Amino acid sequence: MCISCGCGMPHDKHNNPDLISMEDLQRAAKAANMSVDDAVKNMADSVGMKCNK
């Protein structure tokens, strides 16, 4: 879903480098030595969303 826009295409940035792709999320998780799931949970927690995982 280009992750940030919700289009359903997680690997496509639509020629806009400011959008977040799955590859960006994977790199960020790897840099923090954590799983993508944990990184997503931390991101949701950071903006006040509750993840049930």
Side-chain angles (χ1 to χ4, degrees):
M1 42 209 147
C2 128
I3 306 222
S4 47
C5 84
C7 68
M9 300 170 65
H11 303 282
D12 190 346
K13 286 192 175 197
H14 314 296
N15 296 316
N16 184 342
D18 294 331
L19 295 175
I20 301 167
S21 70
M22 180 59 83
E23 288 75 17
D24 296 322
L25 183 55
Q26 290 168 332
R27 277 193 305 276
K30 184 176 180 181
N33 198 32
M34 65 177 55
S35 70
V36 170
D37 286 347
D38 287 340
V40 169
K41 181 187 177 306
N42 290 339
M43 291 170 68
D45 290 347
S46 295
V47 296
M49 295 179 68
K50 299 297 178 201
C51 282
N52 296 327
K53 190 157 192 200

